[in-house]
Structure formats: structure tokens, C-alpha cells
């Protein structure tokens, strides 16, 4: 039997796993998943896990992009605005307080509690 590969999980370095998990749970409308060891887990509908772990060292910021439908983007962007979160239309942070219309959809960039770059988009790049 042949199985195609799929992305199953990733570990997101966090300064405060509870704060990071809460941020993603709220913004992406994710479900809690069973957690174990050092991980606080959230699960997407397709089974993909985001695992948050506090690290004993400083870590560089990473980039995580999430594709969502227009209605979800509207809800997420309303939360970003209501919480007065800094956000940008571009990864260089030259267009603060805006969204973009790249790739035939909409997008926005913001930082999570650990300083990672988060991108929300409504259309895939390819």
C-alpha cells in the first residue's frame, strides 16, 4: 500500500504555551487536543496538530501562514481590530493597520505572543 505524505504537526516555540495556544485557538478557531509532556496541542479539522512548547533558549521568530475562507478572515480580522493588535498588509511592516489583496484574495500579517510572524490569507499563492 502506498501512502502519500502529508503535513502532520509542527512544534511552535513559545515563551508562554498557554498564551500562545489561546492566541491561535481564538484567531484560527481551533479545538484543544490532548496534550502531553511539554506540549500544549491544538488541532485543525483535518487532524493537523500545532504543538506549543516552551524552550529553555531564545529562538528566532518563524513565519506561519494560514489559509482561511473569507468569512473566517472577516471574523479573525474583526478580532485583530477589536483587540487593537498591531498588523500590517505586508511582511516588511511598511503598511500598518491595513490588509492586502495579493493573489486574488486578502491577507494580513501580525505577531503572535512569542513574536512569530503570522500571515492570514484567503487565497493560496499557487
Amino acid at each position: 500500500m502506498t501512502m502519500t505524505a502529508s503535513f502532520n504537526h509542527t512544534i511552535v516555540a513559545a515563551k508562554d504555551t498557554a498564551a500562545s495556544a489561546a492566541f491561535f485557538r481564538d484567531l484560527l478557531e481551533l479545538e484543544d487536543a490532548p496534550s502531553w509532556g511539554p506540549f500544549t496541542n491544538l488541532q485543525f479539522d483535518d487532524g493537523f496538530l500545532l504543538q506549543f512548547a516552551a524552550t529553555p533558549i531564545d529562538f528566532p521568530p518563524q513565519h506561519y501562514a494560514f489559509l482561511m475562507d473569507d468569512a473566517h478572515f472577516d471574523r479573525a480580522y474583526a478580532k485583530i481590530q477589536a483587540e487593537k493588535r498591531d498588523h500590517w498588509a505586508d511582511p516588511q511592516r511598511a503598511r500598518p493597520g491595513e490588509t492586502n489583496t495579493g493573489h486574488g484574495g486578502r491577507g494580513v500579517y501580525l505577531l503572535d505572543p512569542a513574536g512569530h510572524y503570522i500571515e492570514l490569507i484567503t487565497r493560496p499563492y499557487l
Side-chain angles (χ1 to χ4, degrees), residues 27-111:
L27 195 64
L28 301 178
E29 301 173 357
L30 299 177
E31 296 295 326
D32 289 321
S35 296
W36 58 85
F39 304 114
T40 300
N41 299 325
L42 297 177
Q43 191 167 35
F44 286 80
D45 288 342
D46 65 0
F48 175 78
L49 284 178
L50 278 180
Q51 296 184 287
F52 300 92
T55 64
I57 60 170
D58 286 334
F59 50 84
Q62 300 296 307
H63 174 82
Y64 299 99
F66 298 95
L67 178 64
M68 55 184 55
D69 64 27
D70 288 299
H72 190 164
F73 185 90
D74 290 340
R75 292 188 305 274
Y77 191 63
K79 289 176 187 178
I80 291 166
Q81 290 179 305
E83 295 171 1
K84 298 183 178 13
R85 289 191 177 273
D86 290 337
H87 61 281
W88 304 268
D90 61 315
Q92 297 80 20
R93 299 194 259 179
R95 295 176 47 202
E98 299 179 36
T99 61
N100 68 61
T101 55
H103 305 282
R106 294 180 292 156
V108 67
Y109 296 82
L110 66 154
L111 300 176

Side-chain angles (χ1 to χ4, degrees), residues 15-16 19-21 23-24 85 111-116:
K15 296 173 183 170
D16 177 335
S20 288
F23 169 85
F24 282 91
R85 289 191 177 273
L111 300 176
D112 81 346
H116 297 300

